[in-house]
Amino acid sequence: MIRKFLNYMQSIHVWSIFIRDTQIGITYQLPQKWCISRADPFIFNFNDETFLIFEEFNIFRRHGYIVSGRLCDQRNALVETKVIHKARYHSSFPTVLDAMNEDHMLLSLETEEAGALSLYELKHPFTSPRRIKSTLNQKGVDPVYFKFQNMWYMFVSLYDECAKSYCNNLHIYYSKDLLNSPFQAHPLNPVKLGSHGSRMAGCISDSEGRLFRVGQDCVSHYGNNVVKWEILKLSPTEYEEVFIETIQPERGFFARHTHNQTDTLLTYDQK
């Protein structure tokens, strides 16, 4: 009975992180302890090395904190992992925005339980990020910041009181200066409604001048699939996107809800 309960807890709560080398077509599932869930991976290069930053929690506590780790040369494991942010509230969906200089970066976190979204200064060797700006003084999840045509945009899902959900909407805010100017609400907000791909699933990518957004398909359940969209129009007065494809979990998994990449490596989570 105890073993069945533990297997059940692991199957419904444990997310795992995967790395795919897109040049050679090999995918690795990164090892982790059986009672630990790792999700929301963000991958970036720094000083000629590749790092991941992600949410982690013990499945019996369900309190998320942020961990960083360096990807080993074989791409099949993380080394030098360490907790870099742990607060009284749940923290998740970390993204690195921009290099301030060679040792400083900007870090975005989802801190929905804190009731606000903030940016943090992250210094190498990636310990104890310092909060430097509040960007949204209301509850929001999975924020993504993207600079386009000299304007910063924040994509975020807000809490819907009627539906009791974050998964059915997408809002955009914009600012001329990420650190020194306030974010203003886009006049078309919410720019998207419905649980099919509204909530963000990773960062916006620019591929040869084409902009792509990934969202979560939460129609049947939270984090079911990843949905890819192409952004056709993005400005302080316009927004338009078109559906490209659905990226489903691989065989043996039933959920996939984060998708980020560098030029040659793709990272995602599944359970």
Side-chain angles (χ1 to χ4, degrees), residues 182-198:
F183 276 85
Q184 302 178 56
H186 198 284
L188 298 182
N189 279 344
V191 298
K192 187 172 182 61
L193 290 172
S195 297
H196 182 250
S198 292

Side-chain angles (χ1 to χ4, degrees), residues 245-264:
E245 63 175 332
T246 297
I247 306 171
Q248 297 182 344
E250 294 162 351
R251 185 174 182 179
F253 298 89
F254 67 90
R256 174 172 177 163
H257 81 339
T258 308
H259 181 108
N260 283 301
Q261 63 188 77
T262 63
D263 291 340
T264 60

